[in-house]
Amino acid sequence: MAQPKGTVVLAYSGGLDTSCILVWLKEQGYNVVAYLANIGQKEDFEAARKKALALGAKKIYIEDISREFVEEFIWPAVQANALYEDRYLLGTALARPCIARKLVDIARREGAQYVAHGATGKGNDQVRFELTCYALCPNIKVIAPWRLPEFYQRFPGRRELMDYAKEHGIPVPVTPQTPWSMDENLMHISYEAGILENPKVIDHGRHGRHRAEGVACVCSLIGNFTAGRVPVKVTNAEDGATRSSALELFVYLNDIAGKHGVGRIDIVENRFVGMKSRGIYETPAGTILHHAHLDIEAFTMDREVRKIKQGLALKFSELVYNGFWHSPECEFLRQCIGRSQEAVVGTVRLSVFKGHVYILGRESPQSLYNEELVSMNVQGDYEPADATGFININSLR
């Protein structure tokens, strides 16, 4: 055992990597405090607590941050209509700064000089975790084992890590036969690695929790948005079930959309570090809210304001994906996007069926839609002859 080096707070999941890292950090001489974030994943948290302590953690914090994840991270993304590379709803990218913020908080409580994580040296999460830590606590020291030669040379692959786990009596849920990686939170579930690293391999939904095809019946929903804020209520039009608190609403939509196979995508994306990666993502509630918010925003927002806001959303998505949630520019963008939402209020009716979201209708006290003005049957406050000059001016060039 190495000489004592102080206390490190480890972002712990209970999976293969962080379980082995916990034991490895102790071998290096650190006192390890484990931190497990409850961010909506299906997890036996009591079993995870016992496991961390059995592996030698001095203490373990299990913090439920689900509500703040929805209200402070997911809602701003819904307001922004955030999509990375036109398809990815940023489920993991939104979760990381939420988790890392609490990691720093616990390090302060424990008087710890170090924090550690199990993100790989090839991925985005290392950037997201560390930029958040440094933004909130510039003097913190980050231990990233997967970037330390003494670690990754000892463990060049997951097989070696599993051998280490067996040698040290570390129970892990991953076997050499099923070595893909899964990450779950309220916003989404992602599947990567293993056989999925070959982009030609067809995934038939056997990894997913949600039904890839969806049930063969329509579910009709009514979603309410409040001015300048976020979804405030969802009602099932068939049975009248209503959910209004942020967390309950999101969990309910996850259940409904998941049963109908909504929000499942298979994509190749560009990681911030420069390589392309393949992932299977399931984002049920996020997909419903994305479509609903897009619709009510188009109904209530001025055309030119919306054009500017679309540009801001593109930059916001890129910043969040790359780990810059706590940067000055991202904070500025959130303020601008929030300002654009003051008139985005109303009700959207929609249905979900076999993996698809269908918008059925909408209404709003802030609507910019003028039925008489647009009607093909009534002239309204519009002079058709004026269009002649409009066309002539636009044809001059």
Side-chain angles (χ1 to χ4, degrees), residues 97-151:
C98 184
I99 294 169
R101 184 173 70 178
K102 186 65 71 171
L103 182 69
V104 169
D105 179 54
I106 291 171
R108 287 196 176 109
R109 281 190 247 168
E110 288 292 319
Q113 182 176 10
Y114 306 94
V115 294
H117 61 76
T120 73
K122 290 184 177 181
N124 298 304
D125 282 345
Q126 57 180 337
V127 184
R128 296 163 181 161
F129 274 123
E130 294 180 37
L131 288 182
T132 296
C133 290
Y134 292 136
L136 300 179
C137 187
N139 295 324
I140 201 76
K141 293 181 173 62
V142 178
I143 301 171
W146 282 115
R147 295 206 308 269
L148 298 174
E150 60 268 32
F151 188 88

Short mmCIF file of all heavy atoms in Angstrom, two decimals, residues 97-151:
data_model
loop_
_atom_site.label_atom_id
_atom_site.label_comp_id
_atom_site.label_asym_id
_atom_site.label_seq_id
_atom_site.Cartn_x
_atom_site.Cartn_y
_atom_site.Cartn_z
N PRO A 97 -22.96 17.90 -15.86
CA PRO A 97 -22.73 19.07 -14.99
C PRO A 97 -23.57 19.05 -13.73
O PRO A 97 -23.15 19.57 -12.70
CB PRO A 97 -23.10 20.26 -15.89
CG PRO A 97 -23.94 19.69 -16.97
CD PRO A 97 -23.46 18.30 -17.19
N CYS A 98 -24.75 18.41 -13.79
CA CYS A 98 -25.59 18.28 -12.59
C CYS A 98 -24.91 17.38 -11.57
O CYS A 98 -24.86 17.69 -10.37
CB CYS A 98 -26.96 17.73 -13.00
SG CYS A 98 -28.14 17.63 -11.64
N ILE A 99 -24.36 16.26 -12.04
CA ILE A 99 -23.65 15.33 -11.16
C ILE A 99 -22.38 15.96 -10.61
O ILE A 99 -22.09 15.90 -9.41
CB ILE A 99 -23.30 14.03 -11.92
CG1 ILE A 99 -24.58 13.27 -12.29
CG2 ILE A 99 -22.38 13.14 -11.09
CD1 ILE A 99 -24.36 12.12 -13.26
N ALA A 100 -21.61 16.61 -11.50
CA ALA A 100 -20.32 17.17 -11.09
C ALA A 100 -20.48 18.32 -10.11
O ALA A 100 -19.63 18.54 -9.24
CB ALA A 100 -19.54 17.64 -12.33
N ARG A 101 -21.56 19.06 -10.21
CA ARG A 101 -21.82 20.15 -9.27
C ARG A 101 -21.93 19.62 -7.85
O ARG A 101 -21.37 20.18 -6.90
CB ARG A 101 -23.10 20.88 -9.68
CG ARG A 101 -23.43 22.09 -8.84
CD ARG A 101 -24.61 22.84 -9.42
NE ARG A 101 -25.87 22.12 -9.28
CZ ARG A 101 -27.05 22.61 -9.68
NH1 ARG A 101 -27.12 23.79 -10.26
NH2 ARG A 101 -28.16 21.90 -9.50
N LYS A 102 -22.63 18.50 -7.69
CA LYS A 102 -22.75 17.90 -6.37
C LYS A 102 -21.44 17.25 -5.93
O LYS A 102 -21.12 17.22 -4.73
CB LYS A 102 -23.88 16.86 -6.38
CG LYS A 102 -24.21 16.26 -5.04
CD LYS A 102 -24.77 17.28 -4.07
CE LYS A 102 -26.16 17.71 -4.44
NZ LYS A 102 -26.78 18.56 -3.37
N LEU A 103 -20.67 16.74 -6.88
CA LEU A 103 -19.36 16.17 -6.58
C LEU A 103 -18.47 17.21 -5.90
O LEU A 103 -17.82 16.93 -4.88
CB LEU A 103 -18.71 15.67 -7.87
CG LEU A 103 -17.35 14.99 -7.77
CD1 LEU A 103 -17.46 13.64 -7.08
CD2 LEU A 103 -16.74 14.81 -9.16
N VAL A 104 -18.47 18.41 -6.44
CA VAL A 104 -17.68 19.51 -5.87
C VAL A 104 -18.21 19.89 -4.49
O VAL A 104 -17.45 20.14 -3.55
CB VAL A 104 -17.69 20.73 -6.81
CG1 VAL A 104 -17.10 21.96 -6.12
CG2 VAL A 104 -16.90 20.41 -8.08
N ASP A 105 -19.52 19.90 -4.36
CA ASP A 105 -20.15 20.24 -3.08
C ASP A 105 -19.72 19.25 -1.99
O ASP A 105 -19.39 19.65 -0.86
CB ASP A 105 -21.67 20.24 -3.24
CG ASP A 105 -22.40 20.55 -1.94
OD1 ASP A 105 -22.10 21.57 -1.33
OD2 ASP A 105 -23.27 19.75 -1.55
N ILE A 106 -19.71 17.97 -2.32
CA ILE A 106 -19.32 16.95 -1.35
C ILE A 106 -17.83 17.06 -1.02
O ILE A 106 -17.42 16.88 0.14
CB ILE A 106 -19.68 15.54 -1.86
CG1 ILE A 106 -21.21 15.40 -1.88
CG2 ILE A 106 -19.06 14.45 -0.99
CD1 ILE A 106 -21.69 14.14 -2.57
N ALA A 107 -17.03 17.36 -2.01
CA ALA A 107 -15.59 17.54 -1.77
C ALA A 107 -15.36 18.67 -0.77
O ALA A 107 -14.51 18.57 0.13
CB ALA A 107 -14.86 17.83 -3.08
N ARG A 108 -16.14 19.73 -0.90
CA ARG A 108 -16.03 20.84 0.06
C ARG A 108 -16.46 20.39 1.46
O ARG A 108 -15.81 20.73 2.45
CB ARG A 108 -16.89 22.01 -0.41
CG ARG A 108 -16.32 22.78 -1.61
CD ARG A 108 -17.02 24.13 -1.75
NE ARG A 108 -16.45 24.91 -2.82
CZ ARG A 108 -17.04 25.16 -3.98
NH1 ARG A 108 -18.26 24.67 -4.21
NH2 ARG A 108 -16.46 25.89 -4.91
N ARG A 109 -17.56 19.65 1.52
CA ARG A 109 -18.05 19.18 2.82
C ARG A 109 -17.02 18.29 3.52
O ARG A 109 -16.87 18.34 4.73
CB ARG A 109 -19.35 18.39 2.63
CG ARG A 109 -20.59 19.23 2.45
CD ARG A 109 -21.82 18.32 2.52
NE ARG A 109 -22.51 18.25 1.24
CZ ARG A 109 -23.46 17.37 0.96
NH1 ARG A 109 -23.82 16.48 1.88
NH2 ARG A 109 -24.04 17.36 -0.21
N GLU A 110 -16.34 17.48 2.72
CA GLU A 110 -15.38 16.52 3.26
C GLU A 110 -13.98 17.11 3.42
O GLU A 110 -13.08 16.45 3.95
CB GLU A 110 -15.29 15.29 2.36
CG GLU A 110 -16.51 14.40 2.42
CD GLU A 110 -16.65 13.71 3.77
OE1 GLU A 110 -15.62 13.26 4.34
OE2 GLU A 110 -17.78 13.62 4.29
N GLY A 111 -13.79 18.33 2.97
CA GLY A 111 -12.45 18.93 3.00
C GLY A 111 -11.49 18.19 2.09
O GLY A 111 -10.28 18.14 2.34
N ALA A 112 -12.02 17.58 1.02
CA ALA A 112 -11.20 16.79 0.10
C ALA A 112 -10.49 17.68 -0.90
O ALA A 112 -11.09 18.62 -1.45
CB ALA A 112 -12.06 15.76 -0.63
N GLN A 113 -9.26 17.34 -1.16
CA GLN A 113 -8.44 18.08 -2.10
C GLN A 113 -8.62 17.55 -3.53
O GLN A 113 -8.32 18.24 -4.51
CB GLN A 113 -6.98 17.94 -1.65
CG GLN A 113 -5.96 18.65 -2.43
CD GLN A 113 -4.58 18.49 -1.81
OE1 GLN A 113 -4.37 17.70 -0.89
NE2 GLN A 113 -3.63 19.26 -2.32
N TYR A 114 -9.14 16.32 -3.63
CA TYR A 114 -9.23 15.65 -4.93
C TYR A 114 -10.66 15.18 -5.22
O TYR A 114 -11.41 14.83 -4.30
CB TYR A 114 -8.33 14.40 -4.96
CG TYR A 114 -6.89 14.63 -4.61
CD1 TYR A 114 -6.44 14.45 -3.29
CD2 TYR A 114 -5.96 14.99 -5.57
CE1 TYR A 114 -5.12 14.63 -2.94
CE2 TYR A 114 -4.62 15.18 -5.24
CZ TYR A 114 -4.20 15.00 -3.93
OH TYR A 114 -2.89 15.18 -3.59
N VAL A 115 -10.98 15.13 -6.51
CA VAL A 115 -12.16 14.41 -6.99
C VAL A 115 -11.68 13.48 -8.09
O VAL A 115 -10.64 13.70 -8.71
CB VAL A 115 -13.26 15.36 -7.52
CG1 VAL A 115 -13.84 16.21 -6.41
CG2 VAL A 115 -12.75 16.22 -8.66
N ALA A 116 -12.45 12.41 -8.32
CA ALA A 116 -12.07 11.44 -9.35
C ALA A 116 -13.31 10.96 -10.08
O ALA A 116 -14.42 11.02 -9.55
CB ALA A 116 -11.34 10.25 -8.72
N HIS A 117 -13.11 10.49 -11.29
CA HIS A 117 -14.22 9.96 -12.09
C HIS A 117 -13.73 8.79 -12.93
O HIS A 117 -12.52 8.56 -13.06
CB HIS A 117 -14.81 11.06 -12.99
CG HIS A 117 -13.84 11.63 -13.97
ND1 HIS A 117 -13.44 10.97 -15.11
CD2 HIS A 117 -13.17 12.82 -13.97
CE1 HIS A 117 -12.59 11.71 -15.79
NE2 HIS A 117 -12.39 12.83 -15.12
N GLY A 118 -14.66 8.05 -13.50
CA GLY A 118 -14.31 6.88 -14.30
C GLY A 118 -14.47 7.07 -15.79
O GLY A 118 -14.52 6.10 -16.54
N ALA A 119 -14.56 8.34 -16.23
CA ALA A 119 -14.71 8.61 -17.66
C ALA A 119 -13.44 8.23 -18.41
O ALA A 119 -12.32 8.43 -17.92
CB ALA A 119 -15.04 10.09 -17.89
N THR A 120 -13.61 7.72 -19.62
CA THR A 120 -12.46 7.29 -20.41
C THR A 120 -11.73 8.48 -21.01
O THR A 120 -12.26 9.59 -21.10
CB THR A 120 -12.89 6.36 -21.56
OG1 THR A 120 -13.55 7.14 -22.57
CG2 THR A 120 -13.83 5.27 -21.07
N GLY A 121 -10.51 8.22 -21.47
CA GLY A 121 -9.70 9.27 -22.09
C GLY A 121 -10.09 9.56 -23.51
O GLY A 121 -9.54 10.47 -24.13
N LYS A 122 -11.05 8.81 -24.05
CA LYS A 122 -11.48 9.03 -25.44
C LYS A 122 -12.83 9.73 -25.54
O LYS A 122 -13.23 10.13 -26.63
CB LYS A 122 -11.58 7.68 -26.17
CG LYS A 122 -10.25 7.00 -26.44
CD LYS A 122 -10.48 5.72 -27.25
CE LYS A 122 -9.15 5.05 -27.60
NZ LYS A 122 -9.37 3.83 -28.42
N GLY A 123 -13.53 9.85 -24.42
CA GLY A 123 -14.91 10.30 -24.48
C GLY A 123 -15.12 11.76 -24.14
O GLY A 123 -14.18 12.52 -23.85
N ASN A 124 -16.39 12.15 -24.15
CA ASN A 124 -16.79 13.52 -23.83
C ASN A 124 -16.92 13.75 -22.32
O ASN A 124 -16.74 14.88 -21.86
CB ASN A 124 -18.15 13.83 -24.46
CG ASN A 124 -18.13 13.75 -25.96
OD1 ASN A 124 -17.33 14.41 -26.62
ND2 ASN A 124 -19.01 12.94 -26.53
N ASP A 125 -17.27 12.70 -21.57
CA ASP A 125 -17.61 12.89 -20.16
C ASP A 125 -16.45 13.41 -19.33
O ASP A 125 -16.65 14.15 -18.37
CB ASP A 125 -18.15 11.59 -19.56
CG ASP A 125 -19.60 11.33 -19.96
OD1 ASP A 125 -20.25 12.27 -20.45
OD2 ASP A 125 -20.07 10.19 -19.80
N GLN A 126 -15.23 13.03 -19.68
CA GLN A 126 -14.08 13.55 -18.94
C GLN A 126 -14.04 15.08 -19.01
O GLN A 126 -13.76 15.77 -18.02
CB GLN A 126 -12.79 12.98 -19.53
CG GLN A 126 -12.61 13.25 -21.01
CD GLN A 126 -11.32 12.68 -21.57
OE1 GLN A 126 -10.35 12.46 -20.86
NE2 GLN A 126 -11.31 12.46 -22.89
N VAL A 127 -14.36 15.62 -20.19
CA VAL A 127 -14.37 17.07 -20.37
C VAL A 127 -15.51 17.69 -19.58
O VAL A 127 -15.33 18.70 -18.87
CB VAL A 127 -14.50 17.42 -21.87
CG1 VAL A 127 -14.40 18.94 -22.06
CG2 VAL A 127 -13.46 16.70 -22.70
N ARG A 128 -16.69 17.08 -19.66
CA ARG A 128 -17.86 17.63 -18.98
C ARG A 128 -17.69 17.65 -17.47
O ARG A 128 -17.99 18.65 -16.81
CB ARG A 128 -19.09 16.80 -19.35
CG ARG A 128 -19.46 16.87 -20.82
CD ARG A 128 -20.39 15.75 -21.23
NE ARG A 128 -20.73 15.79 -22.64
CZ ARG A 128 -21.21 14.76 -23.32
NH1 ARG A 128 -21.41 13.59 -22.71
NH2 ARG A 128 -21.51 14.88 -24.59
N PHE A 129 -17.20 16.54 -16.90
CA PHE A 129 -16.97 16.48 -15.46
C PHE A 129 -15.95 17.54 -15.03
O PHE A 129 -16.16 18.29 -14.08
CB PHE A 129 -16.46 15.09 -15.06
CG PHE A 129 -17.54 14.09 -14.80
CD1 PHE A 129 -17.58 12.89 -15.51
CD2 PHE A 129 -18.52 14.31 -13.85
CE1 PHE A 129 -18.57 11.95 -15.27
CE2 PHE A 129 -19.51 13.38 -13.59
CZ PHE A 129 -19.53 12.19 -14.31
N GLU A 130 -14.84 17.58 -15.73
CA GLU A 130 -13.73 18.39 -15.25
C GLU A 130 -13.93 19.88 -15.48
O GLU A 130 -13.54 20.70 -14.64
CB GLU A 130 -12.43 17.89 -15.88
CG GLU A 130 -12.09 16.49 -15.39
CD GLU A 130 -10.80 15.93 -15.97
OE1 GLU A 130 -9.84 16.70 -16.15
OE2 GLU A 130 -10.77 14.70 -16.24
N LEU A 131 -14.54 20.26 -16.60
CA LEU A 131 -14.82 21.68 -16.81
C LEU A 131 -15.78 22.20 -15.75
O LEU A 131 -15.65 23.34 -15.29
CB LEU A 131 -15.38 21.92 -18.21
CG LEU A 131 -14.39 21.78 -19.37
CD1 LEU A 131 -15.09 22.10 -20.69
CD2 LEU A 131 -13.18 22.68 -19.19
N THR A 132 -16.75 21.38 -15.36
CA THR A 132 -17.67 21.79 -14.29
C THR A 132 -16.92 21.93 -12.97
O THR A 132 -17.09 22.92 -12.24
CB THR A 132 -18.81 20.76 -14.13
OG1 THR A 132 -19.58 20.74 -15.32
CG2 THR A 132 -19.71 21.11 -12.95
N CYS A 133 -16.08 20.95 -12.65
CA CYS A 133 -15.33 21.00 -11.39
C CYS A 133 -14.43 22.23 -11.33
O CYS A 133 -14.39 22.94 -10.31
CB CYS A 133 -14.49 19.73 -11.23
SG CYS A 133 -15.45 18.24 -10.90
N TYR A 134 -13.73 22.51 -12.41
CA TYR A 134 -12.81 23.65 -12.41
C TYR A 134 -13.56 24.98 -12.42
O TYR A 134 -13.08 25.97 -11.84
CB TYR A 134 -11.87 23.57 -13.61
CG TYR A 134 -10.88 22.43 -13.54
CD1 TYR A 134 -10.61 21.63 -14.64
CD2 TYR A 134 -10.20 22.16 -12.36
CE1 TYR A 134 -9.70 20.59 -14.58
CE2 TYR A 134 -9.29 21.12 -12.28
CZ TYR A 134 -9.04 20.33 -13.39
OH TYR A 134 -8.14 19.30 -13.31
N ALA A 135 -14.75 25.00 -13.06
CA ALA A 135 -15.53 26.24 -13.06
C ALA A 135 -16.03 26.57 -11.66
O ALA A 135 -16.05 27.74 -11.25
CB ALA A 135 -16.72 26.11 -14.02
N LEU A 136 -16.43 25.54 -10.92
CA LEU A 136 -17.03 25.75 -9.59
C LEU A 136 -16.00 25.77 -8.46
O LEU A 136 -16.26 26.31 -7.40
CB LEU A 136 -18.07 24.66 -9.32
CG LEU A 136 -19.24 24.60 -10.32
CD1 LEU A 136 -20.18 23.47 -9.96
CD2 LEU A 136 -19.98 25.92 -10.37
N CYS A 137 -14.85 25.15 -8.70
CA CYS A 137 -13.80 25.08 -7.67
C CYS A 137 -12.44 25.02 -8.36
O CYS A 137 -11.88 23.93 -8.54
CB CYS A 137 -14.02 23.86 -6.79
SG CYS A 137 -12.93 23.78 -5.35
N PRO A 138 -11.90 26.17 -8.78
CA PRO A 138 -10.68 26.19 -9.59
C PRO A 138 -9.48 25.51 -8.95
O PRO A 138 -8.58 25.05 -9.68
CB PRO A 138 -10.41 27.70 -9.77
CG PRO A 138 -11.74 28.35 -9.60
CD PRO A 138 -12.46 27.52 -8.58
N ASN A 139 -9.45 25.38 -7.64
CA ASN A 139 -8.29 24.79 -6.97
C ASN A 139 -8.39 23.27 -6.79
O ASN A 139 -7.46 22.64 -6.29
CB ASN A 139 -8.08 25.44 -5.60
CG ASN A 139 -7.71 26.91 -5.72
OD1 ASN A 139 -7.00 27.31 -6.64
ND2 ASN A 139 -8.21 27.73 -4.80
N ILE A 140 -9.54 22.70 -7.20
CA ILE A 140 -9.70 21.26 -7.03
C ILE A 140 -8.72 20.51 -7.92
O ILE A 140 -8.36 20.98 -9.00
CB ILE A 140 -11.16 20.83 -7.34
CG1 ILE A 140 -11.50 19.48 -6.71
CG2 ILE A 140 -11.42 20.78 -8.84
CD1 ILE A 140 -11.73 19.53 -5.24
N LYS A 141 -8.27 19.34 -7.47
CA LYS A 141 -7.40 18.49 -8.29
C LYS A 141 -8.21 17.28 -8.73
O LYS A 141 -8.86 16.62 -7.93
CB LYS A 141 -6.17 18.06 -7.48
CG LYS A 141 -5.23 19.21 -7.14
CD LYS A 141 -4.02 18.71 -6.36
CE LYS A 141 -3.00 19.82 -6.16
NZ LYS A 141 -3.55 20.95 -5.36
N VAL A 142 -8.17 17.01 -10.03
CA VAL A 142 -8.95 15.91 -10.61
C VAL A 142 -8.04 14.73 -10.90
O VAL A 142 -6.99 14.87 -11.51
CB VAL A 142 -9.65 16.35 -11.91
CG1 VAL A 142 -10.41 15.17 -12.52
CG2 VAL A 142 -10.61 17.51 -11.64
N ILE A 143 -8.47 13.55 -10.43
CA ILE A 143 -7.78 12.30 -10.76
C ILE A 143 -8.63 11.58 -11.80
O ILE A 143 -9.77 11.22 -11.53
CB ILE A 143 -7.58 11.42 -9.52
CG1 ILE A 143 -6.78 12.18 -8.44
CG2 ILE A 143 -6.90 10.11 -9.89
CD1 ILE A 143 -6.73 11.46 -7.10
N ALA A 144 -8.05 11.39 -12.97
CA ALA A 144 -8.74 10.70 -14.06
C ALA A 144 -7.93 9.45 -14.42
O ALA A 144 -7.05 9.50 -15.27
CB ALA A 144 -8.87 11.62 -15.28
N PRO A 145 -8.19 8.33 -13.74
CA PRO A 145 -7.35 7.14 -13.92
C PRO A 145 -7.18 6.70 -15.37
O PRO A 145 -6.10 6.27 -15.77
CB PRO A 145 -8.09 6.06 -13.10
CG PRO A 145 -8.77 6.84 -12.03
CD PRO A 145 -9.21 8.11 -12.69
N TRP A 146 -8.24 6.82 -16.18
CA TRP A 146 -8.14 6.35 -17.57
C TRP A 146 -7.22 7.21 -18.42
O TRP A 146 -6.95 6.88 -19.58
CB TRP A 146 -9.52 6.28 -18.21
CG TRP A 146 -10.31 5.08 -17.79
CD1 TRP A 146 -11.46 5.05 -17.08
CD2 TRP A 146 -9.99 3.70 -18.07
NE1 TRP A 146 -11.89 3.75 -16.88
CE2 TRP A 146 -11.00 2.91 -17.48
CE3 TRP A 146 -8.94 3.06 -18.74
CZ2 TRP A 146 -11.00 1.51 -17.55
CZ3 TRP A 146 -8.94 1.68 -18.82
CH2 TRP A 146 -9.96 0.92 -18.24
N ARG A 147 -6.68 8.30 -17.84
CA ARG A 147 -5.68 9.11 -18.56
C ARG A 147 -4.29 8.96 -17.95
O ARG A 147 -3.34 9.59 -18.41
CB ARG A 147 -6.09 10.59 -18.56
CG ARG A 147 -7.37 10.88 -19.33
CD ARG A 147 -7.40 12.32 -19.85
NE ARG A 147 -7.14 13.29 -18.80
CZ ARG A 147 -8.08 13.86 -18.05
NH1 ARG A 147 -9.35 13.53 -18.22
NH2 ARG A 147 -7.77 14.75 -17.13
N LEU A 148 -4.18 8.15 -16.90
CA LEU A 148 -2.88 7.95 -16.25
C LEU A 148 -2.20 6.71 -16.83
O LEU A 148 -2.77 5.62 -16.79
CB LEU A 148 -3.07 7.78 -14.74
CG LEU A 148 -3.70 8.97 -14.00
CD1 LEU A 148 -3.96 8.60 -12.54
CD2 LEU A 148 -2.80 10.19 -14.10
N PRO A 149 -0.98 6.85 -17.36
CA PRO A 149 -0.30 5.70 -17.97
C PRO A 149 -0.22 4.49 -17.04
O PRO A 149 -0.38 3.35 -17.49
CB PRO A 149 1.09 6.25 -18.32
CG PRO A 149 0.87 7.72 -18.50
CD PRO A 149 -0.20 8.09 -17.51
N GLU A 150 0.00 4.74 -15.75
CA GLU A 150 0.13 3.61 -14.82
C GLU A 150 -1.19 2.85 -14.68
O GLU A 150 -1.21 1.68 -14.27
CB GLU A 150 0.61 4.08 -13.44
CG GLU A 150 -0.28 5.07 -12.71
CD GLU A 150 0.09 6.52 -12.98
OE1 GLU A 150 0.56 6.81 -14.11
OE2 GLU A 150 -0.11 7.36 -12.09
N PHE A 151 -2.29 3.49 -15.03
CA PHE A 151 -3.59 2.81 -14.99
C PHE A 151 -3.91 2.16 -16.33
O PHE A 151 -4.19 0.97 -16.42
CB PHE A 151 -4.69 3.79 -14.59
CG PHE A 151 -6.03 3.15 -14.34
CD1 PHE A 151 -6.36 2.66 -13.08
CD2 PHE A 151 -6.97 3.02 -15.36
CE1 PHE A 151 -7.59 2.05 -12.84
CE2 PHE A 151 -8.19 2.41 -15.14
CZ PHE A 151 -8.50 1.93 -13.88
#
